Amino acid sequence: MAGACSRAHAEVGQPLAPWTPGGLDIHHIATGRGNATLAILPDGASLLIDAGAMLSELDVTVAPRPSAERRAGEWIARYVQRHVKATGRDGLDSLLVTHLHPDHLGDVRASSPPSTRGPYRLSGVTDVADALRVGRLVDRGYPSYDDPAIGIEQADFFRNYRAFVESWVARGGRAERFVVGSATQLGTGVRNIAANGRVWTGQGEDARALFPPLASLPPGDRPTENMCSAGVRISSGPFSYFTGGDLTNEGADGELPWRDVLTAAARACGPVDVATADHHGLYDGLNPAVVRALRPQAWVVQAWHVSHPSPQQLDHMLNERFYPGRREVYATHLMRENLLVNRRLALKMRSHEGHVVVRVAPGGESFRVIVTDNGDESDRVRAVSDVFRSRSLRS
Ligand SMILES: [Zn+2]
């Protein structure tokens, strides 16, 4: 027991201690170029959620971390490799692409290096899949990618990703469409909550559809790629965590309620201990209903743009009228300009820079949030939270 406690307790200034069997680690990897979250489950299985790699707009986005010496996807693959080593396994068991946008799967340019394995370029997911063993690739669209969102068909990042998936499957790789309601597709303790406008009912593996028949909709009302994002809940004993890609509450103030997938997903998920501020904490992410439904003890904002997060979203996360009790807010990055806009609320946040690691003790009864250095690959601990007791155990 003493051993387990001391290993779980990270020391500031020291490298993060490795994962231990029975523990659940959730790493929000801070590359400054998009989302990437590595979950190492209690049984040692690993799940990478997204491998974003934005290429442009350095004036309004975070500079690459640790540096521009490598592509974001390369940094992510190296991060995964050094942390899954402790499980005794090689590479990833699953890679989930929440939705088909470049800050979640990788952007490409004519200058992006070609893969040596197939007719596609290296960025984000393709960098990870070329570098590591990946047991299964899961996304919201495989194999047809024709339903229900519109607007990405001609985009270079999508065409590149699709060419990669076709090549990968032809080489024997396993690809699957995300199954809403499943409790087995992505690993033990992972429940698929929502995708493509379908949301888990809470009963068995059943799901219900939010979107009306697409043929009945005017083109301007068609679902966006963001509202088709995949969301999951990851549990270990009494501990639980929710993340939902770029799900939004964009329901036109009640005029088009079926477009507000995030509120339905949050209600299907129920209260959790840790949640991400989906869509990077932008204006259409956390409305009060979502905050009340999830009511986490810790929020993680996966931020890489000057607009992440919005002042209103920070207020929603911190507002004790929506739910009482302890809550801490961590961001993978906060640009200086954002800090100036959000100063009053940003000062209440626990971190503005670094990988955010949620380390859940074996059995799931308690956890800590640990911030580690993203300026190099040392994984040096910058800050450690006090112990949180998992919500369902608190009186
Ligand atoms: Zn995004």
Side-chain angles (χ1 to χ4, degrees), residues 156-176:
D156 289 343
F157 63 82
F158 172 66
R159 294 161 72 103
N160 187 68
Y161 173 72
R162 194 166 179 178
F164 151 71
V165 176
E166 284 168 8
S167 162
W168 197 64
V169 170
R171 284 180 276 132
R174 179 171 169 184
E176 299 173 10

Side-chain angles (χ1 to χ4, degrees), residues 131-203:
L132 303 178
R133 177 193 74 86
V134 177
R136 78 175 73 183
L137 174 73
V138 178
D139 67 31
R140 68 160 202 82
Y142 181 83
S144 58
Y145 300 100
D146 59 356
D147 184 63
I150 53 168
I152 55 163
E153 298 84 350
Q154 301 306 318
D156 289 343
F157 63 82
F158 172 66
R159 294 161 72 103
N160 187 68
Y161 173 72
R162 194 166 179 178
F164 151 71
V165 176
E166 284 168 8
S167 162
W168 197 64
V169 170
R171 284 180 276 132
R174 179 171 169 184
E176 299 173 10
R177 182 180 285 223
F178 184 88
V179 179
V180 178
S182 173
T184 55
Q185 187 177 30
L186 292 167
T188 305
V190 184
R191 170 74 70 176
N192 296 6
I193 299 287
N196 294 328
R198 295 177 62 76
V199 179
W200 180 48
T201 61
Q203 305 295 317

Side-chain angles (χ1 to χ4, degrees), residues 35 99 101 103-104 226 245-246 279-280 304 308:
N35 285 21
H99 65 295
H101 273 161
D103 56 321
H104 298 259
N226 285 343
D246 283 357
H279 201 202
H280 319 286
W304 47 265
H308 303 161

Side-chain angles (χ1 to χ4, degrees), residues 223-297:
T224 65
E225 184 61 33
N226 285 343
M227 59 185 73
C228 292
S229 289
V232 297
R233 185 179 67 192
I234 303 176
S235 305
S236 169
F239 172 89
S240 59
Y241 164 94
F242 175 75
T243 189
D246 283 357
L247 284 177
T248 65
N249 64 47
E250 193 193 323
D253 198 25
E255 296 289 326
L256 300 168
W258 55 268
R259 289 168 66 96
D260 178 2
V261 182
L262 181 55
T263 301
R267 287 178 172 155
C269 177
V272 293
D273 293 290
V274 181
T276 54
D278 296 324
H279 201 202
H280 319 286
L282 274 170
Y283 65 95
D284 55 1
L286 305 171
N287 62 15
V290 173
V291 172
R292 286 188 179 103
L294 295 174
R295 49 206 311 128
Q297 302 187 69

Side-chain angles (χ1 to χ4, degrees), residues 8-362:
H9 185 276
E11 299 290 342
V12 173
Q14 299 297 312
L16 180 70
W19 171 90
T20 53
L24 166 64
D25 284 355
I26 304 173
H27 301 250
H28 304 84
I29 304 171
T31 64
R33 302 281 86 203
N35 285 21
T37 306
L38 170 66
I40 304 180
L41 305 177
D43 62 4
S46 56
L47 164 65
L48 181 67
I49 303 173
D50 291 330
M54 298 292 291
L55 293 178
S56 58
E57 300 180 317
L58 274 174
D59 51 338
V60 288
T61 60
V62 175
R65 301 282 200 275
S67 74
E69 192 185 312
R70 299 180 192 277
R71 297 181 298 280
E74 293 179 290
W75 290 122
I76 294 166
R78 291 165 66 95
Y79 189 103
V80 168
Q81 211 154 20
R82 64 179 189 271
H83 288 278
V84 301
K85 211 162 44 181
T87 68
R89 302 190 188 202
D90 177 37
L92 286 162
D93 292 292
S94 304
L95 199 172
L96 168 64
V97 178
T98 60
H99 65 295
L100 308 170
H101 273 161
D103 56 321
H104 298 259
L105 60 75
D107 205 356
V108 287
R109 296 278 183 275
S111 56
S112 302
S115 169
T116 56
R117 301 189 178 185
Y120 57 90
R121 294 180 185 279
L122 294 175
S123 179
V125 166
T126 56
D127 257 325
V128 171
D130 270 25
L132 303 178
R133 177 193 74 86
V134 177
R136 78 175 73 183
L137 174 73
V138 178
D139 67 31
R140 68 160 202 82
Y142 181 83
S144 58
Y145 300 100
D146 59 356
D147 184 63
I150 53 168
I152 55 163
E153 298 84 350
Q154 301 306 318
D156 289 343
F157 63 82
F158 172 66
R159 294 161 72 103
N160 187 68
Y161 173 72
R162 194 166 179 178
F164 151 71
V165 176
E166 284 168 8
S167 162
W168 197 64
V169 170
R171 284 180 276 132
R174 179 171 169 184
E176 299 173 10
R177 182 180 285 223
F178 184 88
V179 179
V180 178
S182 173
T184 55
Q185 187 177 30
L186 292 167
T188 305
V190 184
R191 170 74 70 176
N192 296 6
I193 299 287
N196 294 328
R198 295 177 62 76
V199 179
W200 180 48
T201 61
Q203 305 295 317
E205 299 203 332
D206 293 343
R208 65 191 173 97
L210 292 184
F211 297 164
L214 299 183
S216 70
L217 296 172
D221 288 353
R222 287 286 296 272
T224 65
E225 184 61 33
N226 285 343
M227 59 185 73
C228 292
S229 289
V232 297
R233 185 179 67 192
I234 303 176
S235 305
S236 169
F239 172 89
S240 59
Y241 164 94
F242 175 75
T243 189
D246 283 357
L247 284 177
T248 65
N249 64 47
E250 193 193 323
D253 198 25
E255 296 289 326
L256 300 168
W258 55 268
R259 289 168 66 96
D260 178 2
V261 182
L262 181 55
T263 301
R267 287 178 172 155
C269 177
V272 293
D273 293 290
V274 181
T276 54
D278 296 324
H279 201 202
H280 319 286
L282 274 170
Y283 65 95
D284 55 1
L286 305 171
N287 62 15
V290 173
V291 172
R292 286 188 179 103
L294 295 174
R295 49 206 311 128
Q297 302 187 69
W299 290 99
V300 181
V301 186
Q302 291 164 292
W304 47 265
H305 189 272
V306 67
S307 61
H308 303 161
S310 82
Q312 181 208 42
Q313 299 284 296
L314 266 183
D315 178 70
H316 288 171
M317 286 181 258
L318 292 163
N319 195 330
E320 292 199 25
R321 289 193 187 279
F322 296 153
Y323 67 100
R326 180 180 177 190
R327 91 280 317 270
E328 295 180 358
V329 181
Y330 295 80
T332 51
H333 305 276
L334 221 65
M335 288 184 75
R336 184 176 169 277
E337 294 82 351
N338 186 282
L339 198 53
L340 293 173
V341 171
N342 279 320
R343 193 167 189 281
R344 181 179 63 85
L345 293 168
L347 290 175
K348 298 182 179 179
M349 297 170 72
R350 289 302 174 114
S351 76
H352 297 154
E353 177 80 39
H355 307 301
V356 179
V357 183
V358 178
R359 173 152 285 180
V360 185

